Amino acid sequence: MRRFQNRVFVVASFSLGLFAAMPVYAASVQAVSRATWGANGVPSYVNMNIYVPDKLAENPPIVVGCHSCSTPVSSFFNSISGVKAGADKNGFIIILPEATGRNCWDVGTTKSLTHDGGGDTQAVAQMVKYALEKYKGDPKRVYVMGGSSGAMMTQAMLAVYPDIFRAGAARAGVAAGCWADGFDAGQQWSNNCAGGRTSKSAQQWGDLVRGMYPGYTGHRPRLQIFHGTADATINYKNQAEAIKEWTNVLELSETPTSTDMITSGGTTYDRQFWKNECNQTVFEAWSGRNGAHSMAYEADAILAFFGLDKAGGADPETDCSEAAGSGGTGGSGDGSGGDQNVGGAGPAAGSGGASGDGGGVGEGVTVGSGGQPAGGGEVTTTGGSDPSGTSGTSGTSGTSGAADSATSGVGSDSAGESGETGGCAVVAGDSRPKSSYAAVVAMGLALLMLRRRHRNAGRWHVSCR
């Protein structure tokens, strides 16, 4: 009997140990009440859902995922499983807005295409602000992505709220503002734009975007766009219109910096890349050969473009718009005065140095992390000369931001979206709370101690007979 009891204790303890070692997935998509995220002055049908991984990064980045027409959040979330896996691994948050009961997102009315105009775009912006405050998110690492209507929403968000978003990825969408051409408010649809019949010059597209946030002069978000050449829902011609728009907004040539061809997930893409003056990739256009409307999300490439393919760190794009820095000071001595600093090829030249008395030559170059001169240029200080004077001291170099380059990976994800309507489903996470492990281990130890006491008690009884 005692042997049997011992075996029971051993098996029970072993089983509890295995149970403690098994991960329990807790994270899931959660609805956030409108009162909580501050849904004031925005459409009543827009609701917020959020996915917060169990292992959240410090000051976590945020990705907004926008669903397509008539697609429930649960179906959309399943279609971006690669992005969800990245959130679980690297600790960023996913916001999932929902246009409840609507056919598509409103990206065609003036209120939604105007900064703080009270439309769908403002509702999403308020969700981001709420999440940044609640989870102490990184305001410099907010991104947006989506397919079809969600891709249209992605480009609209970048145009209307460039102050919030750092980058976006849009699959099978249209240029920001295109949907307003022949917009049907009842179905949230534009036959003109969807059919590829809306065309503007690059300057016209750029002016349209700049008019969505009048007076804004700050950083413009970078963008990835994907489109199948055989898309029967949103005509592939919209890819060319988006290229005209965003190259103008980002002050790039319409001719790409480089091109290549890859095959990923069964789709062959012709890719175009544009780099800014700091040699950083800020715009990508992927054309899927014979690709249909609902191609799989290239999750690996999207995460790499956002810089979310690894934990920690900063956004891969440094600000190229910052000034190259202040200039150096002139030389000292009895000679003639020094020349002013000459700015290099960066976004802005250094300011002039003070004139000196001597004639030495000084030069300063600060190199950024990407191997380019800081701020994209060079600051040089040159002193004057005089046979009777002493040489001046060298000027000090100007200061500026670093230069770096963003890279993108390739990959594939599970396919497409459902056309059903509905709410959101509970989705599994990837870790068990530490307190659960401790409780199970303590239970196992208690069982072992009970077995030992039982055995000692039996021995004491024998010795007293």
Side-chain angles (χ1 to χ4, degrees):
M1 180 66 180
R2 188 169 297 161
R3 287 182 179 178
F4 176 75
Q5 290 176 337
N6 288 343
R7 288 177 181 174
V8 170
F9 277 114
V10 170
V11 171
S13 300
F14 181 71
S15 299
L16 285 170
L18 285 177
F19 178 75
M22 292 174 62
V24 175
Y25 299 96
S28 62
V29 174
Q30 301 290 331
V32 182
S33 71
R34 287 174 57 86
T36 300
W37 59 269
N40 299 317
V42 296
S44 60
Y45 55 79
V46 181
N47 291 297
M48 178 180 182
N49 302 277
I50 194 167
Y51 180 78
V52 181
D54 292 319
K55 296 178 181 178
L56 191 62
E58 183 177 1
N59 304 124
I62 293 174
V63 173
V64 176
C66 302
H67 65 73
S68 58
C69 292
S70 302
T71 302
V73 165
S74 56
S75 295
F76 171 69
F77 194 57
N78 288 337
S79 74
I80 59 168
S81 59
V83 178
K84 184 259 184 189
D88 290 334
K89 180 180 179 182
N90 299 322
F92 59 84
I93 291 170
I94 303 175
I95 293 175
L96 300 157
E98 184 174 22
T100 309
R102 303 279 283 183
N103 182 38
C104 305
W105 289 105
D106 172 12
V107 290
T109 64
T110 300
K111 66 179 182 179
S112 207
L113 293 175
T114 302
H115 188 83
D116 290 346
D120 291 12
T121 53
Q122 183 176 343
V124 173
Q126 289 181 194
M127 295 176 194
V128 172
K129 293 174 183 178
Y130 159 78
L132 286 172
E133 181 177 356
K134 178 174 176 60
Y135 299 100
K136 296 180 174 58
D138 187 347
K140 295 182 179 180
R141 303 209 66 190
V142 180
Y143 309 97
V144 58
M145 63 170 293
S148 191
S149 181
M152 301 175 199
M153 188 65 163
T154 293
Q155 295 193 54
M157 293 305 305
L158 298 185
V160 180
Y161 288 95
D163 54 329
I164 290 180
F165 295 95
R166 191 68 181 177
R171 192 210 68 197
V174 303
C178 178
W179 214 238
D181 182 18
F183 181 67
D184 177 354
Q187 292 297 313
Q188 303 86 55
W189 193 260
S190 166
N191 285 325
N192 289 345
C193 183
R197 295 187 292 274
T198 302
S199 181
K200 300 179 185 294
S201 70
Q203 186 65 42
Q204 288 172 327
W205 281 122
D207 289 344
L208 186 62
V209 169
R210 288 182 284 273
M212 295 178 190
Y213 190 178
Y216 179 76
T217 58
H219 174 268
R220 289 286 178 176
R222 62 188 187 278
L223 175 64
Q224 270 182 328
I225 56 176
F226 305 79
H227 214 122
T229 61
D231 191 332
T233 303
I234 304 297
N235 194 286
Y236 175 65
K237 290 180 181 178
N238 284 291
Q239 179 97 322
E241 298 302 311
I243 289 173
K244 287 191 289 185
E245 177 174 82
W246 291 104
T247 52
N248 183 270
V249 170
L250 294 170
E251 299 181 354
L252 305 168
S253 168
E254 284 190 47
T255 302
T257 308
S258 63
T259 62
D260 72 5
M261 181 271 290
I262 67 163
T263 298
S264 174
T267 301
T268 298
Y269 291 97
D270 294 301
R271 303 191 300 178
Q272 302 176 78
F273 303 91
W274 284 261
K275 291 186 177 183
N276 62 13
E277 56 191 347
C278 288
N279 203 37
Q280 301 165 339
T281 300
V282 294
F283 185 42
E284 298 182 5
W286 296 43
S287 297
R289 295 182 184 178
N290 300 313
H293 184 62
S294 294
M295 297 186 299
Y297 286 96
E298 296 293 332
D300 291 348
I302 292 170
L303 292 179
F305 190 70
F306 292 167
L308 297 176
D309 53 335
K310 54 185 177 298
D315 183 82
E317 178 196 359
T318 57
D319 279 331
C320 209
S321 58
E322 294 181 354
S326 58
T329 57
S332 62
D334 297 326
S336 60
D339 296 333
Q340 284 192 329
N341 298 338
V342 180
S351 60
S355 61
D357 298 322
V361 175
E363 180 175 307
V365 178
T366 304
V367 178
S369 62
Q372 302 294 323
E378 178 180 298
V379 178
T380 303
T381 305
T382 305
S385 63
D386 192 310
S388 62
T390 58
S391 63
T393 58
S394 62
T396 58
S397 65
T399 59
S400 181
D404 202 351
S405 60
T407 59
S408 65
V410 296
S412 63
D413 195 8
S414 58
E417 295 125 354
S418 162
E420 300 173 4
T421 57
C424 64
V426 175
V427 183
D430 73 343
S431 69
R432 180 194 228 343
K434 293 181 179 179
S435 58
S436 299
Y437 286 101
V440 172
V441 171
M443 185 180 297
L445 291 173
L447 286 171
L448 289 174
M449 290 298 295
L450 181 62
R451 180 182 66 83
R452 185 171 296 175
R453 288 183 178 180
H454 180 78
R455 181 180 61 192
N456 291 340
R459 288 176 180 172
W460 174 256
H461 180 72
V462 171
S463 63
C464 292
R465 290 180 96 176

